[in-house]
Amino acid sequence: MEEIDVQQLGENIVRILKTIYDPEIPVDIYELGLIYDVFVNETQDVKILMTLTSPNCPVAETLPMEVEEKVKSIDNVNNVEIELTFDPPWSKDLMSEEAQLELGLL
């Protein structure tokens, strides 16, 4: 079996995550800080720990599914598990500097 570069796979996952946007904020979910962690193991199983801007977010049902589908579409990804958490709750402090600049918060 071909050796998969877990680091490279992680970078590919981040690249995909940066194509997914919160419908209410014109910034991708990665720069928004909605992705808390991405785990990739040797068997190419992926687990993504993510949050939403609020528990009542209108995309609470669809956004995690979109993340799962897009990450599953990456070559060499085996299984994808999305874990939604609100601990810690999302705040604008989790946004990248780039996202804060984009939204005029800096």
Side-chain angles (χ1 to χ4, degrees), residues 7-60:
Q7 178 77 33
Q8 183 61 54
L9 190 54
E11 287 169 18
N12 292 347
I13 292 166
V14 167
R15 207 168 303 123
I16 286 284
L17 294 173
K18 288 184 174 193
T19 68
I20 304 171
Y21 285 79
D22 184 296
E24 298 177 338
I25 308 170
V27 174
D28 71 75
I29 62 172
Y30 191 83
E31 296 297 337
L32 262 182
L34 295 182
I35 304 298
Y36 286 168
D37 224 331
V38 176
F39 305 96
V40 182
N41 69 15
E42 308 74 48
T43 56
Q44 293 91 260
D45 291 327
V46 177
K47 181 175 180 183
I48 296 175
L49 184 61
M50 68 176 289
T51 193
L52 301 169
T53 50
S54 87
N56 307 327
C57 180
V59 293

Side-chain angles (χ1 to χ4, degrees), residues 61-80:
E61 298 297 311
T62 57
L63 195 60
M65 282 176 13
E66 182 182 356
V67 169
E68 183 178 344
E69 284 168 16
K70 287 200 171 167
V71 171
K72 267 187 182 161
S73 75
I74 299 171
D75 287 346
N76 299 324
V77 166
N78 192 10
N79 288 314
V80 179

